[in-house]
């Protein structure tokens, strides 16, 4: 029973919170026993992100996309690119999600964040206006854009403090 998929996945989940070496060993054991299991890629992605090895995380996402043909994984890929501060590639993958999953707000949010880190504020306004045109509540969107995290940060601070945003907000 100790080598069953479910048991190893539970063990890996616990190990990831307490002991990196145990987590890594559990993933290796899982990989040795179930080399073709797509769940392995998810665990490897998680592990690579924890370790800050974003290139390997992207490689594993690509393998998982190939194995499953699940294009929704581009959202995870975009998120990893954001963590790696590769905003251009993040933008490309968020744009893919926006185009193929237009009802998914997370794609738009990521896209706006990627644009923000590239100081492309005019394009952010176009996205916000598009969301308002789709029926999203303007005040709720503005609150979201201006909201600070519990630690006092806001990933969109550069945009929110920009003259362009302030001017647009006054006019609309």
């Amino acid at each position: 029973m100790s080598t069953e998929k479910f048991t190893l996945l539970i063990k890996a989940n616990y190990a990831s919170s307490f002991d990196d070496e145990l987590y890594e060993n559990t993933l290796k054991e899982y990989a040795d026993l179930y080399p073709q299991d797509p769940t392995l890629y998810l665990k490897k992605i998680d592990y690579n992100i924890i370790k800050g090895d974003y290139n390997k995380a992207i490689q594993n996402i690509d393998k998982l996309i190939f194995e499953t043909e699940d294009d929704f994984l581009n959202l995870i890929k975009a998120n990893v690119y954001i963590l790696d501060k590769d905003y251009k590639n993040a933008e490309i993958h968020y744009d893919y999600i926006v185009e193929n999953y237009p009802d998914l707000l997370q794609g738009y949010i990521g896209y706006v964040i990627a644009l923000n880190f590239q100081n492309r504020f005019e394009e952010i306004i176009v996205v916000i206006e598009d969301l308002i045109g789709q029926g999203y509540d303007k005040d709720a969107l503005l609150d979201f854009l201006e909201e600070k995290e519990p630690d006092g940060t806001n990933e969109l601070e550069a945009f929110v403090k920009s003259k362009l945003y302030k001017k647009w907000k006054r006019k609309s």
Side-chain angles (χ1 to χ4, degrees), residues 19 43 83 129 144:
D19 186 336
K43 288 298 178 193
L83 291 172
E129 288 176 342
F144 170 78

Side-chain angles (χ1 to χ4, degrees), residues 5-27:
K5 285 183 186 183
F6 181 75
T7 305
L8 287 172
L9 289 174
I10 295 289
K11 183 179 175 183
N13 282 342
Y14 283 117
S16 70
S17 300
F18 299 107
D19 186 336
D20 285 345
E21 187 176 337
L22 179 60
Y23 184 54
E24 191 170 358
N25 290 338
T26 303
L27 287 180

Side-chain angles (χ1 to χ4, degrees), residues 74-75 77-78 81 89-98:
N74 280 289
L75 181 62
K77 195 171 183 178
Y81 278 126
N89 274 317
E91 174 194 347
I92 290 166
H93 292 282
Y94 285 127
D95 184 49
Y96 179 88
I97 292 296
V98 167

Side-chain angles (χ1 to χ4, degrees), residues 19-171:
D19 186 336
D20 285 345
E21 187 176 337
L22 179 60
Y23 184 54
E24 191 170 358
N25 290 338
T26 303
L27 287 180
K28 182 174 179 353
E29 182 180 6
Y30 191 90
D32 291 344
L33 292 169
Y34 308 102
Q36 301 302 319
D37 186 2
T39 307
L40 176 63
Y41 295 126
L42 290 172
K43 288 298 178 193
K44 284 182 176 181
I45 292 164
D46 181 50
Y47 180 74
N48 295 140
I49 290 170
I50 290 169
K51 289 295 193 183
D53 192 345
Y54 303 120
N55 288 332
K56 279 192 178 175
I58 294 293
Q59 289 171 6
N60 283 307
I61 293 168
D62 287 339
K63 288 176 185 176
L64 190 57
I65 290 171
F66 179 78
E67 292 284 329
T68 64
E69 298 181 9
D70 183 357
D71 67 337
F72 190 75
L73 291 164
N74 280 289
L75 181 62
I76 296 172
K77 195 171 183 178
N79 291 338
V80 173
Y81 278 126
I82 285 286
L83 291 172
D84 197 27
K85 297 179 179 23
D86 184 347
Y87 306 118
K88 187 63 182 165
N89 274 317
E91 174 194 347
I92 290 166
H93 292 282
Y94 285 127
D95 184 49
Y96 179 88
I97 292 296
V98 167
E99 290 294 319
N100 292 282
Y101 300 91
D103 295 333
L104 185 69
L105 186 59
Q106 291 92 332
Y108 291 97
I109 292 168
Y111 188 67
V112 165
I113 290 170
L115 292 173
N116 175 69
F117 284 120
Q118 297 175 74
N119 295 316
R120 293 168 48 198
F121 303 143
E122 298 88 5
E123 293 171 71
I124 294 173
I125 290 173
V126 170
V127 173
I128 295 168
E129 288 176 342
D130 179 43
L131 289 170
I132 293 169
Q134 291 181 42
Y136 285 91
D137 182 70
K138 178 184 173 187
D139 292 330
L141 282 172
L142 297 181
D143 287 345
F144 170 78
L145 294 170
E146 296 174 8
E147 183 179 16
K148 293 194 181 285
E149 297 293 325
D151 67 358
T153 62
N154 178 349
E155 289 186 336
L156 299 170
E157 188 168 1
F159 171 64
V160 170
K161 288 186 173 184
S162 72
K163 290 180 183 180
L164 186 66
Y165 172 73
K166 290 175 183 176
K167 181 179 175 183
W168 174 82
K169 185 178 173 182
R170 276 193 310 271
K171 286 173 70 176

